[in-house]
Amino acid sequence: MLPPSRSSLLGWLQSGHLSQHSWPAALRLIGLPPTDTQWQRLLERLLLTLGLVCIASGLFFFIAFNWQLLGRLPRLLLVALPLVLVCLLLWRRALTPAAVQGLTLFAGLNLGALLALIGQTYQSGADPWQLFALWALLLLPWAWLSQSTPLTALAWLLAQLALARYWHLGLLEALFSFSAEGMAWLLVAGNALLWGALSRLPSAQRLLPAFLPALACGLGATLLVLLNLFETTSAWGWLAWGIWLVVAYRAWHQRFVTGLALAALSVICVSLVGVGKYIEADAGGMLLLGIQAIVLSVIAVRWLAQQRGDSHE
């Protein structure tokens, strides 16, 4: 049986099964707040992951900078050999979870470089969306076998890029209007479905954090509203945006302050663009927008501080 999480404790507190007096002791039982050792482990994992990403990026830039000096075989070996070595290391050695996460992310980035190198060297004629889609599909088995959240997040991001590039070609004009509005609606609908599916899974079974598609859904809804302010989209975007704000608040209230902060940022952006549409673009108008931004930011900060205090963080 999995230990209770902080969200579980909040639910017990709100339902009356956990008293306010017992809240600090309950947090200590589940290891909150983190100890110095836990912070050290987190920093070690972050530094390991960032170091491997930097090594992979440096290798890619080295090949790109010396493209004319390197032949086909050296370029291929510089990308393929590290990938083979990482796979052998993962197969033959028992590594810590942090090392596995970092090495699989390194291998995933290397795989994308290998696909791009093959396509550029042999001029396969594949469109960019095909490269992103193939890269994402090849990453999914690795992410599932290694239970790697960073690798799953990378595959999710690549799928978004593949869809955007595929949309840019206008290949879905028979189903949607080839416009920014259609792309935004597809972004909202797809990520909303993924958000709902992930929310129904237990936390231990989620390879992708639910807040990623939730935030992408909010980004698409905000884009729809901003485009509507310039009369380039339908007014249905306001409904999608309002629904997203309500659902996000109910899901993140007293739980995920970062998500609430991004929702507040969405409201501030829409408010500023809405007011800026009807004022003159002179010194007085810029002053009015500056004052509005300051006032809304102060209100958002006070509200978020209240949310943080209510969530006992």
Side-chain angles (χ1 to χ4, degrees):
M1 180 178 178
L2 293 174
S5 63
R6 186 176 177 279
S7 299
S8 302
L9 293 183
L10 284 172
W12 296 346
L13 183 65
Q14 294 170 358
S15 62
H17 292 86
L18 181 66
S19 65
Q20 187 74 32
H21 178 72
S22 304
W23 174 259
L27 285 178
R28 286 194 296 271
L29 286 175
I30 63 173
L32 293 176
T35 63
D36 293 342
T37 303
Q38 291 173 322
W39 278 113
Q40 182 181 356
R41 290 175 181 172
L42 175 62
L43 290 176
E44 288 175 353
R45 295 182 65 175
L46 289 176
L47 291 175
L48 175 62
T49 302
L50 291 175
L52 289 172
V53 170
C54 289
I55 291 174
S57 302
L59 180 62
F60 306 156
F61 282 109
F62 175 81
I63 296 174
F65 186 81
N66 299 280
W67 185 269
Q68 300 297 333
L69 300 177
L70 297 173
R72 290 185 177 183
L73 185 59
R75 289 196 297 258
L76 183 63
L77 290 177
L78 282 174
V79 177
L81 281 180
L83 183 61
V84 173
L85 291 176
V86 168
C87 291
L88 289 175
L89 187 62
L90 291 171
W91 177 43
R92 302 290 295 182
R93 296 291 299 273
L95 302 173
T96 62
V100 172
Q101 298 274 330
L103 288 175
T104 51
L105 181 60
F106 176 84
L109 294 173
N110 246 44
L111 179 61
L114 181 61
L115 293 175
L117 178 63
I118 293 174
Q120 183 68 25
T121 301
Y122 298 100
Q123 296 297 320
S124 61
D127 292 317
W129 76 267
Q130 293 174 317
L131 170 64
F132 291 130
L134 179 60
W135 189 4
L137 287 175
L138 292 176
L139 287 181
L140 287 178
W142 289 30
W144 181 74
L145 290 173
S146 62
Q147 296 292 294
S148 174
T149 298
L151 210 57
T152 308
L154 177 61
W156 169 79
L157 179 61
L158 291 172
Q160 309 284 310
L161 293 174
L163 179 61
R165 296 302 305 173
Y166 186 75
W167 187 274
H168 181 71
L169 295 176
L171 302 179
L172 295 177
E173 283 186 293
L175 301 177
F176 300 95
S177 61
F178 177 55
S179 62
E181 179 182 7
M183 182 66 216
W185 275 114
L186 200 59
L187 180 67
V188 170
N191 284 287
L193 291 174
L194 182 58
W195 182 18
L198 290 173
S199 299
R200 293 180 175 274
L201 292 175
S203 300
Q205 298 181 8
R206 297 178 191 169
L207 290 181
L208 180 70
F211 68 85
L212 286 179
L215 295 179
C217 179
L219 175 64
T222 304
L223 175 62
L224 286 171
V225 171
L226 294 177
L227 291 175
N228 178 258
L229 289 173
F230 293 100
E231 300 177 355
T232 58
T233 63
S234 66
W236 288 104
W238 289 92
L239 178 61
W241 185 60
I243 292 175
W244 177 78
L245 288 176
V246 172
V247 175
Y249 176 78
R250 290 178 61 88
W252 297 335
H253 175 55
Q254 298 183 355
R255 287 178 171 83
F256 186 43
V257 179
T258 303
L260 294 176
L262 293 174
L265 178 62
S266 174
V267 173
I268 292 174
C269 291
V270 171
S271 301
L272 289 174
V273 174
V275 174
K277 179 182 177 181
Y278 298 102
I279 63 174
E280 295 292 335
D282 53 11
M286 295 300 102
L287 177 62
L288 177 61
L289 287 179
I291 294 174
Q292 180 188 359
I294 294 173
V295 171
L296 291 177
S297 299
V298 170
I299 294 174
V301 168
R302 291 179 63 88
W303 177 67
L304 291 171
Q306 181 184 7
Q307 289 289 316
R308 184 177 178 86
D310 291 345
S311 60
H312 302 273
E313 292 183 344

